[in-house]
Amino acid sequence: MIEGPKAPKDPVKKRSSIFFMFESMIEATGSSEGKPSQDIYLEGRIKDKVKLEGGVTDEEILKLLENCSGFHKLVYSIGVSVKGLNDTSGKVNFVLKNLGKGKNYDTGTLLMIECPKDGTEVILKLDDFKWSPEDDILSKFAFEFDNAGELATATVKFYLHDGYEVPEVAMEAPVSFGSEEYKSMIARSLLNKGNNKRLKIAIEKSERGEEVTIAYIGGSITQGAAAKPINTNCYVYKSYLMFKKMFGKDGGENIHFVKAGVGGTSSELGIIRYERDILRGGSVEPDIVIVEFAVNDEGDETKGICYESLCLKILSEKNKPAVILLFAVFMNDWNLQDRLSPVGKHYNLPMISVKDVVVEQFGLTKPEGNIISKRQFFYDIYHPTNDGHRVMADCIGYLLHETKKSVEDNVDIIIDKPPVIGNCFKNINLIDRENYRNFVTVTEGGFTQIDTDLQMVEMDDNSFQSPEFPCNWMYAPPSAKENFKMIIKCRSLILVFKDSGSSTFGSADIFVDGQRVRRADPHENNWTHCNPVILFQREVCEEHIVEIKMASDNEDKSFTILGFGYNL
């Protein structure tokens, strides 16, 4: 016989609530400091995140989420639940970090709460905690695990104070992958079939059992951001597996891939690191290169010249690789397809538009023809979920399928013609602390140290991270205050320096031939990040003297020169 409780409690009042995350995949990533964790960055993103995940449209409520005071006015408590995928025993730490009003990253409340991994919701009532009067902006949530590589799903819910109401959100049915409607949606991705000669040659090599390598270069989406696990559920790995299945011989062991995505960086950095990160110093000769910078190239100072130069740099390799242009999309339906697609049209390259696939149907209801919602496609305002990565991979698969059944073009693409945007950076090369001696003369001055706290990325199919630009020059007090000096003969020069969120880093002044050309500020992006800037661009290859010194009011700070890109 089932008995009820002897002293039933009064029902707890149901508060209106907003989903910030709903059963989102999270993965513990190793770190040189602290426990392996999944970090969710909030600064400047929280409004768009709750629009996406929570379906909130009320501008009054969205405005309250812009800062800590508004957040406390709106939010009564935070509900957090975590469920391990492979192991539901044990606990994870849920971390909340605020930025302070003064030294942003040195002040602000830091909370840490233990959560069981069995899916039980833990409630953080905001009034139960002591908050710093310096709190300004919510910085991040983090989930700290015991071991790197652990997977779980997480839900974070904001319960609102009395007086604030939002509509309840109905969660969609799973995406119907493989349906005829889904296939029709994917077919819209083919922006340009392009000249297929090089791609057909690579496919035929694969089918004969010859060694074939597919390479991918781009930003954080190509790195695999928000895919869980990042190394095997990203669009790169999924499309590589498709290629193996479609064209590999005897299981596809003759097919290889190279992944070189770096978060937050544009083709301006991509062209500098292409030889190191894709060609691996000459040890790799890719047959196919997929270029993905359509959501990163707003930061390209040249507004498309570096992008076209990168495409030409790849196309000009002696083994004549095929180039595929891939245009990803942000949650606000934005990308730079209109700026960059003329490059593909000019050289008749295959082009894939994820924007053309998903954006129009985002505005439809299910009866009207919606296949995948924004909540299902996007993990945050920038990056796709596992489902979103699968859509991107399927778009590449569709191009491969269409190319396979097409008749091979008789002639190769023509690259020896005037550029559509510009090509002046196509011969650019990287120099850093490891490989400068045969090209330039360097006097290190006070820049004698090597920075090891660098931007880290998952390369190829690795789950572990590798540092970008490990062979660098770093100034850190109490170093001698002498300038870094380089004598170099070139047409153009790009400096790559480290951005940082740490207050220990400061600005440096850059001089070319005695004239100050710019001040390099490592807080432009305020996170550990590779930042390229053009120092000069000339018509004639001449010798120049480049000097870098700490700004007069920043001599007690640090600064890291990651490397240079030079063009003869």
Side-chain angles (χ1 to χ4, degrees):
M1 184 176 65
I2 300 175
E3 295 183 355
K6 290 187 169 70
K9 295 181 180 179
D10 292 335
V12 176
K13 178 182 177 181
K14 183 179 179 182
R15 293 182 175 275
S16 187
S17 60
I18 300 171
F19 279 109
F20 176 80
M21 300 171 65
F22 177 75
E23 295 182 359
S24 300
M25 287 284 292
I26 58 175
E27 178 182 14
T29 300
S31 171
S32 57
E33 297 181 4
K35 301 179 74 172
S37 71
Q38 169 73 67
D39 294 343
I40 312 293
Y41 293 99
L42 308 176
E43 189 178 359
R45 305 182 183 185
I46 191 167
K47 285 174 56 177
D48 290 311
K49 179 71 171 174
V50 299
K51 282 183 183 179
L52 167 69
E53 203 75 34
V56 178
T57 58
D58 188 319
E59 287 298 327
E60 178 188 358
I61 285 177
L62 292 172
K63 190 170 180 59
L64 290 171
L65 293 168
E66 291 179 347
N67 54 54
C68 291
S69 60
F71 187 82
H72 282 263
K73 184 178 179 181
L74 175 69
V75 176
Y76 175 83
S77 60
I78 304 174
V80 182
S81 57
V82 180
K83 188 168 185 179
L85 259 63
N86 301 315
D87 181 9
T88 58
S89 63
K91 297 181 178 181
V92 301
N93 294 328
F94 173 74
V95 178
L96 181 155
K97 176 72 174 75
N98 289 335
L99 297 185
K101 296 174 183 176
K103 295 182 178 179
N104 286 16
Y105 290 85
D106 299 331
T107 60
T109 301
L110 175 67
L111 296 183
M112 182 180 295
I113 306 295
E114 285 190 340
C115 297
K117 289 195 296 182
D118 61 2
T120 301
E121 185 180 46
V122 175
I123 300 294
L124 290 73
K125 184 182 174 184
L126 269 59
D127 286 349
D128 288 345
F129 299 92
K130 184 177 180 181
W131 301 89
S132 168
E134 290 295 308
D135 286 346
D136 186 20
I137 299 170
L138 278 82
S139 172
K140 74 173 182 179
F141 294 150
F143 298 87
E144 295 184 343
F145 293 77
D146 290 329
N147 303 299
E150 286 192 65
L151 295 171
T153 59
T155 296
V156 177
K157 200 172 185 181
F158 301 149
Y159 293 96
L160 308 186
H161 280 293
D162 293 342
Y164 294 101
E165 298 285 336
V166 293
E168 287 194 29
V169 177
M171 298 306 168
E172 301 92 342
V175 179
S176 183
F177 294 108
S179 67
E180 291 305 312
E181 294 79 7
Y182 177 81
K183 291 176 183 177
S184 296
M185 180 187 77
I186 293 297
R188 296 198 294 269
S189 65
L190 197 51
L191 183 63
N192 189 45
K193 212 169 185 180
N195 184 302
N196 65 19
K197 190 171 186 65
R198 294 189 179 195
L199 192 51
K200 292 279 282 188
I201 288 172
I203 289 171
E204 289 161 6
K205 279 182 65 178
S206 304
E207 293 174 328
R208 291 195 300 267
E210 298 177 36
E211 303 295 307
V212 167
T213 298
I214 313 172
Y216 302 76
I217 187 167
S220 57
I221 296 176
T222 294
Q223 185 181 336
K228 312 295 177 189
I230 191 169
N231 57 325
T232 56
N233 263 325
C234 61
Y235 87 85
V236 171
Y237 193 77
K238 286 177 176 292
S239 59
Y240 153 70
L241 291 182
M242 285 181 187
F243 192 94
K244 286 180 70 172
K245 183 177 181 180
M246 293 169 74
F247 310 121
K249 188 172 183 180
D250 300 329
E253 293 304 310
N254 59 314
I255 314 298
H256 315 284
F257 86 107
V258 170
K259 182 181 78 170
V262 177
T265 65
S266 66
S267 58
E268 186 174 341
L269 185 73
I271 195 168
I272 294 172
R273 62 184 181 84
Y274 178 77
E275 183 171 355
R276 183 196 63 193
D277 287 356
I278 294 290
L279 304 184
R280 310 285 163 94
S283 64
V284 173
E285 285 191 346
D287 300 272
I288 303 168
V289 182
I290 296 176
V291 179
E292 180 270 315
F293 283 110
V295 290
N296 283 71
D297 256 18
E298 189 61 32
D300 168 27
E301 296 173 281
T302 69
K303 304 303 178 187
I305 295 175
C306 280
Y307 184 84
E308 183 170 1
S309 297
L310 173 60
C311 293
L312 285 170
K313 186 180 185 74
I314 302 167
L315 291 166
S316 301
E317 293 291 338
K318 61 182 181 181
N319 66 316
K320 297 185 176 181
V323 170
I324 298 170
L325 306 185
L326 175 62
F327 303 129
V329 67
F330 278 163
M331 192 192 75
N332 63 357
D333 304 337
W334 176 89
N335 71 8
L336 287 169
Q337 185 173 310
D338 289 344
R339 178 203 287 178
L340 303 178
S341 61
V343 174
K345 292 174 184 174
H346 189 60
Y347 302 104
N348 200 16
L349 304 177
M351 292 191 287
I352 298 168
S353 173
V354 182
K355 180 179 179 178
D356 288 2
V357 169
V358 296
V359 166
E360 183 179 348
Q361 61 89 51
F362 279 152
L364 304 178
T365 63
K366 291 296 181 185
E368 291 171 336
N370 174 263
I371 305 299
I372 184 169
S373 70
K374 281 193 173 183
R375 186 183 295 107
Q376 290 170 315
F377 186 90
F378 289 104
Y379 187 86
D380 56 23
I381 62 175
Y382 303 122
H383 306 113
T385 58
N386 282 359
D387 283 352
H389 276 279
R390 175 169 177 179
V391 169
M392 293 183 67
D394 285 342
C395 292
I396 295 172
Y398 182 74
L399 168 65
L400 296 173
H401 177 267
E402 291 299 299
T403 301
K404 169 61 179 176
K405 71 181 187 181
S406 300
V407 176
E408 183 175 320
D409 287 320
N410 292 324
V411 296
D412 193 14
I413 58 172
I414 299 171
I415 59 176
D416 185 17
K417 57 182 178 179
V420 65
I421 304 176
N423 61 6
C424 56
F425 291 98
K426 68 178 181 179
N427 296 318
I428 208 160
N429 294 287
L430 167 69
I431 50 174
D432 58 18
R433 192 175 194 138
E434 184 179 54
N435 69 347
Y436 72 89
R437 290 174 179 81
N438 294 330
F439 308 98
V440 300
T441 301
V442 169
T443 303
E444 294 180 345
F447 291 73
T448 57
Q449 299 189 39
I450 297 176
D451 196 341
T452 57
D453 181 22
L454 302 171
Q455 184 171 8
M456 306 289 287
V457 300
E458 296 83 0
M459 304 289 281
D460 305 335
D461 61 352
N462 298 325
S463 58
F464 61 84
Q465 297 182 316
S466 300
E468 279 291 301
F469 296 93
C471 303
N472 54 68
W473 295 274
M474 179 183 180
Y475 175 92
S479 296
K481 293 183 172 60
E482 286 95 358
N483 301 353
F484 174 94
K485 183 177 179 181
M486 180 172 70
I487 302 173
I488 182 169
K489 188 174 182 179
C490 60
R491 293 176 186 267
S492 56
L493 187 68
I494 299 176
L495 164 69
V496 185
F497 68 94
K498 173 183 150 179
D499 271 318
S500 176
S502 170
S503 60
T504 63
F505 276 74
S507 298
D509 288 324
I510 319 296
F511 296 81
V512 176
D513 300 328
Q515 299 294 316
R516 195 184 89 157
V517 296
R518 72 185 307 146
R519 174 165 290 191
D521 179 7
H523 298 295
E524 288 183 12
N525 298 285
N526 254 334
W527 59 289
T528 304
H529 168 264
C530 307
N531 193 0
V533 291
I534 297 172
L535 299 185
F536 61 83
Q537 188 176 354
R538 307 280 193 267
E539 292 293 329
V540 180
C541 184
E542 296 178 325
E543 186 172 274
H544 298 278
I545 299 173
V546 178
E547 293 183 86
I548 301 176
K549 68 174 183 178
M550 297 305 296
S552 58
D553 56 348
N554 278 229
E555 291 179 342
D556 60 339
K557 304 288 187 179
S558 298
F559 187 87
T560 301
I561 303 166
L562 296 173
F564 298 89
Y566 74 100
N567 210 9
L568 293 176

